[in-house]
Amino acid sequence: MASEQPRVIVVGGGLAGLAAAVRIAEAGTPVDLFSMVPVKRSHSVCAQGGINAATEPVKQEGFSEWNHFDETLLGGDFINHQPPVYEMAYWAPKVIDLMDRMGVPFNRTAEGFLDRRYFGGSVFRRTHFAGASTGQQLLYALDEQTRRYEAAGKVNKYEFWEFLWPVLDEDGECKGIVAQDMRTMEVKAFRADAVVIATGGNGVVFGKTTMSVICTGAAAARCYQAGAWLGNPEMIQVHPTAIPGEDKCRLMSESARGEGGRVWVPAVKDESGEWKPHPDAGRHPNDIPEHERYYILEEAYPNYGPTPRHGNLVSRDVATRGIFFAVQKGFGVGGGRMAYLDITHLPADTKEKLAAILEIYEKFTGDDPRHVPMKIFPAVHYSMGGLYTVYESDYDQPKFLTDIVPPRETKESDPSKGPHPGMVNGSPWNMMTNIKGLYAFGEVNYQYHGATRLGANALLSCIFDGLYCGLSVVNYVKNVVTNHAADMAADVFNAAVADEQAKIDHLVQNQGEVNPYELHRHLGEVMTDACTVVRTEQGMIDALEQVRDIKEQYSRVRLTDTGLWTNQNLSFARALWDMILYAEAMLLAGIERKESRGCHYHLDYPDRDDASFLATAVTEYDPEADEHTVMWEDVPTPLVQPRIRSYGKKETDDEQGGKKKAAKKKAAKKVARKKSSKKKSTRRKKSSAR
């Protein structure tokens, strides 16, 4: 019998973390909530466009939860696991209803119904929104609910505390964390019977990104070094429309396209009717006549979007490549790396719905986008990959799941109706990593989005994870845990604190000559060039060598601030090591995935290869040998069979600029070697994680 009531630690104060804290506290289990920043400043606050759901008004237009489920799989190019995606899609209307009752100021129609907008990946208006600051409004609502439980003594908030390491017992089960107060620099261990990692994406690995500066992926990388696996780390989403900046990129939400925004570049047609780069591409956009505007997406995808938005509702990876290749062919604004996102033709009330992002554009560029088309270019935006997690369902499990999730003696589904398509509600294994007691929710969880996330599914997946899988955490600490953290000897926690303090002392005392910020800038450039919109095998191999050189230089990093009060230099330099390791995992998985799938657009292998790579790239790290191992787990497709993602493209894909035939021949020559390599890579060492 534990001497104290079981406790849960939630790391991360964004939508996933807050939703989890509320759900767990609601069930009567105390929660310690850790966040590097005040929770109301978590990165979820930056989400703009909306949240998808097949609510009743959407169903009246012919959309359904099944359509939402199917669109998500299609967007993810079918490597997202189907039971979790099914559950998320069918819970989505409940999530909208709950958020509405919590007071989220969703936009409404004149009749008082929730308004919806078009969003990429669908021709239905199934995206609910609060202006262009939906993430902020959802976050504030969940923060209010968290404060209720904080006042009741069920939630303890630790803001400005940085997660350093998970504490594992002798059986490899997670029993707490080590964290540091970034004001006093105190390092301390905290006990818990389960830990939820809800720390978001890792975009800062790429330097310039639409993500916040706290989105380094360090928490996930530290769990990775402690024995947790990564799932599909190579899958990084590039958003098609962002403001290029000297310091970072700033998102121009997909809601702009959803409300009728059009993407174009200056161009002229030759005698044969083919578009050619405009001889005066730097002219003011308002002076360029309609017949000299090349609407990139509308011409390529004329059937994907209701008039007058033809083509502008394709998924993000498709839109990104359309813009990227147009610019690469010389169509960029002023000859540079930019295109126009134009909302000037929209009515005033529609522009008002986009006010939040229009104000951002005007603030950082000086141009009013209500009257002047916006200059945009794709930028790193989201991590589909993340910590590998498991779930329980009525279907046969993938091979790694069977090593972690115990077999079920009985199934809860009605035999007359067949297996339940989604997850087992309340199962203690839902979204647990391969480390027992360590969970991953939200963007840090790889499960829901596959090879490309649909716009407006991020907010949904974060809230769904917290609410639905929060119950799983409660059931785990109450019904599964036998060795409670409160009963453990202090030696385990003291040793973990000593290890982290030693790392800090080493960084503070290091007398090298390398500036960590310069080293990070170099890492970002290498990763952006090799591992974003388009990729090649040699490009990723070269990048891997450069990242390993960066790793060697890291040993000579020197801090400019060695003080013991609010030392941000220490925090960043520490996270840089984690970003380097994460970058290695991304590149290694990217090199082994010899196909094009979703955002992983491989010029050497331009086609999707379901025979070999309808699978999750699972990476494991050996800290003693400093080696990563890439394993492959086939993705089952019990509900929907994979199909081609064409989005109604008008012509055969020619984005390779004449290289596609050559690439196919090259790929054909490597088939035998690829299959041999595939067989070798799937041979897995017997897991000792448990």
Side-chain angles (χ1 to χ4, degrees):
M1 176 70 74
S3 58
E4 294 183 17
Q5 184 178 13
R7 300 189 70 85
V8 171
I9 285 176
V10 175
V11 182
L15 288 175
L18 293 182
V22 168
R23 184 68 186 90
I24 295 167
E26 178 186 56
T29 301
V31 177
D32 294 322
L33 177 63
F34 289 79
S35 177
M36 286 187 68
V37 295
V39 297
K40 291 178 75 171
R41 292 294 175 264
S42 299
H43 183 60
S44 298
V45 80
C46 297
Q48 298 167 348
I51 177 170
N52 294 329
T55 53
E56 195 58 38
V58 189
K59 291 178 182 177
Q60 293 175 11
E61 296 180 2
F63 193 71
S64 68
E65 292 94 340
W66 181 270
N67 294 132
H68 185 187
F69 163 63
D70 183 70
E71 286 178 350
T72 302
L73 296 177
L74 181 66
D77 228 345
F78 298 98
I79 61 166
N80 21 6
H81 283 247
Q82 296 187 6
V85 174
Y86 178 94
E87 208 71 64
M88 179 183 74
Y90 277 79
W91 262 64
K94 303 174 188 176
V95 170
I96 295 294
D97 182 55
L98 178 63
M99 293 298 107
D100 188 29
R101 287 187 285 117
M102 282 185 183
V104 173
F106 287 114
N107 279 55
R108 295 185 178 271
T109 65
E111 298 81 14
F113 298 112
L114 293 179
D115 201 0
R116 294 105 53 218
R117 60 172 40 130
Y118 291 103
F119 234 67
S122 181
V123 295
F124 291 92
R125 293 188 307 130
R126 45 87 162 121
T127 301
H128 304 74
F129 62 98
S133 61
T134 311
Q136 181 183 37
Q137 307 309 323
L138 293 168
L139 187 74
Y140 285 9
L142 283 171
D143 177 58
E144 287 180 352
Q145 299 303 313
T146 304
R147 289 169 185 265
R148 286 179 56 210
Y149 291 104
E150 194 176 6
K154 287 295 185 183
V155 173
N156 288 330
K157 244 187 226 168
Y158 292 87
E159 295 177 320
F160 299 108
W161 282 76
E162 181 177 357
F163 167 82
L164 300 184
W165 206 258
V167 178
L168 308 184
D169 67 10
E170 59 184 8
D171 296 322
E173 297 180 12
C174 188
K175 296 300 178 184
I177 68 170
V178 179
Q180 183 172 30
D181 186 335
M182 295 311 298
R183 296 157 297 185
T184 67
M185 309 307 289
E186 175 190 13
V187 178
K188 185 177 178 181
F190 296 83
R191 300 173 185 241
D193 293 303
V195 173
V196 176
I197 302 295
T199 50
N202 63 351
V204 178
V205 171
F206 295 84
K208 292 181 182 180
T209 168
T210 66
M211 295 189 200
S212 300
V213 294
I214 57 174
C215 298
T216 61
R222 290 163 192 168
C223 294
Y224 180 48
Q225 293 166 75
W229 299 336
L230 297 177
N232 293 331
E234 75 278 18
M235 295 302 179
I236 298 295
Q237 182 171 84
V238 179
H239 197 287
T241 58
I243 314 171
E246 289 300 320
D247 54 345
K248 65 167 296 196
C249 301
R250 290 172 177 84
L251 178 66
M252 286 295 101
S253 171
E254 195 172 300
S255 57
R257 284 193 291 139
E259 294 289 357
R262 307 175 76 185
V263 177
W264 61 274
V265 289
V268 292
K269 285 188 175 180
D270 60 16
E271 294 179 355
S272 65
E274 293 292 320
W275 286 109
K276 300 295 181 184
H278 201 290
D280 189 11
R283 280 167 59 193
H284 193 283
N286 291 347
D287 294 334
I288 298 176
E290 185 70 17
H291 67 276
E292 294 180 0
R293 299 183 177 192
Y294 171 23
Y295 292 96
I296 305 166
L297 303 178
E298 297 175 31
E299 295 212 7
Y301 304 93
N303 300 319
Y304 214 80
T307 304
R309 305 179 184 90
H310 283 311
N312 286 301
L313 298 182
V314 291
S315 70
R316 289 177 174 177
D317 62 312
V318 176
T320 293
R321 287 195 295 274
I323 296 169
F324 179 84
F325 284 118
V327 168
Q328 192 179 55
K329 293 174 183 177
F331 286 98
V333 173
R337 292 167 64 86
M338 285 182 288
Y340 287 122
L341 173 61
D342 194 350
I343 58 97
T344 58
H345 58 286
L346 299 179
D349 60 341
T350 302
K351 293 176 183 176
E352 187 58 32
K353 295 179 184 178
L354 302 171
I357 62 169
L358 303 185
E359 289 166 4
I360 291 172
Y361 187 88
E362 186 172 11
K363 177 178 180 179
F364 286 98
T365 69
D367 290 331
D368 185 349
R370 297 169 183 81
H371 307 293
V372 180
M374 295 178 272
K375 294 178 181 178
I376 53 88
F377 196 69
V380 170
H381 178 62
Y382 194 86
S383 308
M384 277 81 66
L387 289 171
Y388 175 87
T389 53
V390 300
Y391 58 91
E392 188 171 6
S393 78
D394 286 353
Y395 295 103
D396 292 337
Q397 305 287 2
K399 64 177 181 180
F400 294 169
L401 284 176
T402 60
D403 294 343
I404 299 166
V405 180
R408 299 178 63 203
E409 295 181 2
T410 59
K411 298 182 184 293
E412 297 176 4
S413 57
D414 183 346
S416 65
K417 297 180 180 178
H420 172 61
M423 295 186 287
V424 175
N425 190 17
S427 167
W429 313 108
N430 289 340
M431 301 311 145
M432 186 185 287
T433 69
N434 60 294
I435 294 177
K436 197 172 181 180
L438 182 67
Y439 293 80
F441 291 177
E443 188 175 351
V444 77
N445 175 11
Y446 94 104
Q447 277 286 1
Y448 299 102
H449 306 299
T452 289
R453 174 178 67 81
L454 284 187
N457 261 2
L459 301 180
L460 173 62
S461 66
C462 289
I463 297 173
F464 168 75
D465 245 352
L467 297 180
Y468 185 89
C469 301
L471 180 61
S472 298
V473 179
V474 173
N475 289 337
Y476 171 76
V477 299
K478 288 185 176 180
N479 304 324
V480 178
V481 174
T482 55
N483 179 25
H484 288 275
D487 294 332
M488 290 175 57
D491 293 351
V492 175
F493 299 93
N494 293 339
V497 170
D499 287 345
E500 293 310 305
Q501 189 62 57
K503 295 175 187 176
I504 293 169
D505 294 342
H506 175 75
L507 268 178
V508 170
Q509 296 166 11
N510 205 17
Q511 296 300 308
E513 74 287 352
V514 177
N515 184 320
Y517 296 97
E518 282 296 315
L519 201 59
H520 172 254
R521 180 188 58 78
H522 183 34
L523 174 68
E525 291 172 350
V526 169
M527 292 299 292
T528 299
D529 289 344
C531 207
T532 52
V533 182
V534 294
R535 310 173 190 193
T536 64
E537 187 164 2
Q538 191 58 50
M540 287 186 283
I541 290 172
D542 293 343
L544 184 60
E545 289 304 310
Q546 293 182 70
V547 170
R548 286 172 174 165
D549 179 63
I550 290 170
K551 180 192 280 187
E552 188 279 327
Q553 293 181 59
Y554 181 84
S555 64
R556 303 191 301 278
V557 159
R558 182 171 184 172
L559 303 186
T560 56
D561 182 358
T562 58
L564 296 178
W565 184 262
T566 63
N567 190 335
Q568 294 298 314
N569 193 208
L570 168 65
S571 178
F572 180 83
R574 178 169 53 207
L576 178 57
W577 171 257
D578 304 307
M579 288 189 272
I580 292 168
L581 285 180
Y582 214 136
E584 284 187 313
M586 290 183 204
L587 289 165
L588 284 165
I591 291 167
E592 287 213 22
R593 188 178 284 279
K594 301 181 189 301
E595 64 162 354
S596 288
R597 186 180 294 272
C599 68
H600 183 79
Y601 198 75
H602 204 313
L603 292 181
D604 301 324
Y605 305 95
D607 296 322
R608 192 177 80 190
D609 182 0
D610 286 346
S612 299
F613 295 106
L614 184 63
T616 299
V618 182
T619 61
E620 182 179 27
Y621 180 66
D622 181 351
E624 292 186 6
D626 188 24
E627 290 182 352
H628 307 259
T629 301
V630 179
M631 307 172 287
W632 293 95
E633 177 184 70
D634 291 338
V635 175
T637 56
L639 302 172
V640 175
Q641 291 303 304
R643 60 185 186 275
I644 296 173
R645 296 172 73 234
S646 68
Y647 290 103
K649 188 170 177 62
K650 184 172 64 174
E651 300 173 345
T652 301
D653 196 344
D654 63 351
E655 291 173 334
Q656 283 71 42
K659 297 180 182 178
K660 189 168 184 178
K661 290 183 179 179
K664 282 186 175 181
K665 289 180 180 179
K666 184 178 179 181
K669 291 178 182 179
K670 294 184 179 180
V671 165
R673 184 175 62 181
K674 178 175 66 175
K675 289 183 177 179
S676 174
S677 173
K678 167 72 174 173
K679 289 178 181 177
K680 290 178 182 178
S681 66
T682 55
R683 291 179 192 151
R684 175 176 167 247
K685 300 174 295 180
K686 188 171 181 65
S687 175
S688 59
R690 295 268 164 129

